[in-house]
Amino acid sequence: MRRRNISRIALLVAVMAVTAQISFPLPLTGVPFSLQVLGVFLAGCLLDPAGAALALAAYLALGVMGLPVFARFGAGPGVLAGATGGYLIGFALAAPVVSWLARGGRQFGRNLLAMVLVLPLIYLPGVWRLAAFLPGGLEAAWAKGVVIFLPLDLIKAVLAAALGARISRALAKSDR
């Protein structure tokens, strides 16, 4: 792996850690609003599929090992095993798929389509895990873990698609 790729992977791990901290609880949901999905989408646009998978695996490993990189400075295996742990698993699934679908991340429309198509990869494990912690099971988890977040995640997708296209084109120029 080239040094440039390693640097980009490390940078996207840092982006994930920072976007996780831009977070606040949403009333009655049990799931915080954060910008982590934006970080996942950017990893998908700016890294190849293997790099995106490695970046998210490294992010999860750092958090499980105790570094406070998860939302609201969370850390440890308990976060992964907790109510929102499914979303973290979904992030790891989503980033390489966005990368594969976006194919280099230089086109806004392709990026946006990839991100919208991949949202279920984040939501499904998230809802499944959240349902174990909420009275009302899957129905409550769907309402509190998807319905409220979908409009916000679509806004993050538009922003990430635009940023990803712009940054990808700039990186391609610098790679020459």
Side-chain angles (χ1 to χ4, degrees):
M1 184 173 285
R2 294 171 36 197
R3 271 185 269 172
R4 183 176 328 166
N5 292 342
I6 293 169
S7 297
R8 289 180 185 169
I9 290 167
L11 180 62
L12 269 299
V13 171
V15 166
M16 283 298 303
V18 169
T19 57
Q21 303 322 314
I22 303 169
S23 167
F24 58 88
L26 288 180
L28 307 173
T29 66
V31 179
F33 168 82
S34 78
L35 292 183
Q36 282 177 292
V37 171
L38 179 72
V40 170
F41 289 159
L42 286 174
C45 284
L46 302 177
L47 300 169
D48 64 19
L54 185 57
L56 270 293
Y59 169 72
L60 292 177
L62 290 172
V64 168
M65 289 187 300
L67 273 75
V69 297
F70 298 142
R72 296 182 280 174
F73 296 101
V79 175
L80 206 54
T84 60
Y87 294 101
L88 294 169
I89 299 301
F91 295 162
L93 298 172
V97 177
V98 167
S99 177
W100 182 74
L101 291 171
R103 298 184 186 182
R106 293 185 191 138
Q107 297 176 351
F108 170 81
R110 182 175 290 228
N111 292 350
L112 184 59
L113 179 61
M115 293 167 191
V116 170
L117 290 174
V118 165
L119 276 172
L121 284 178
I122 296 171
Y123 289 145
L124 290 175
V127 165
W128 172 78
R129 189 72 193 135
L130 185 60
F133 290 84
L134 291 178
L138 284 172
E139 186 176 323
W142 178 260
K144 295 179 178 187
V146 175
V147 173
I148 292 172
F149 289 92
L150 185 59
L152 301 169
D153 287 339
L154 291 173
I155 292 167
K156 291 178 224 176
V158 170
L159 180 59
L163 283 170
R166 188 170 190 136
I167 295 168
S168 290
R169 287 192 298 268
L171 289 173
K173 287 180 185 177
S174 73
D175 288 345
R176 291 186 215 160

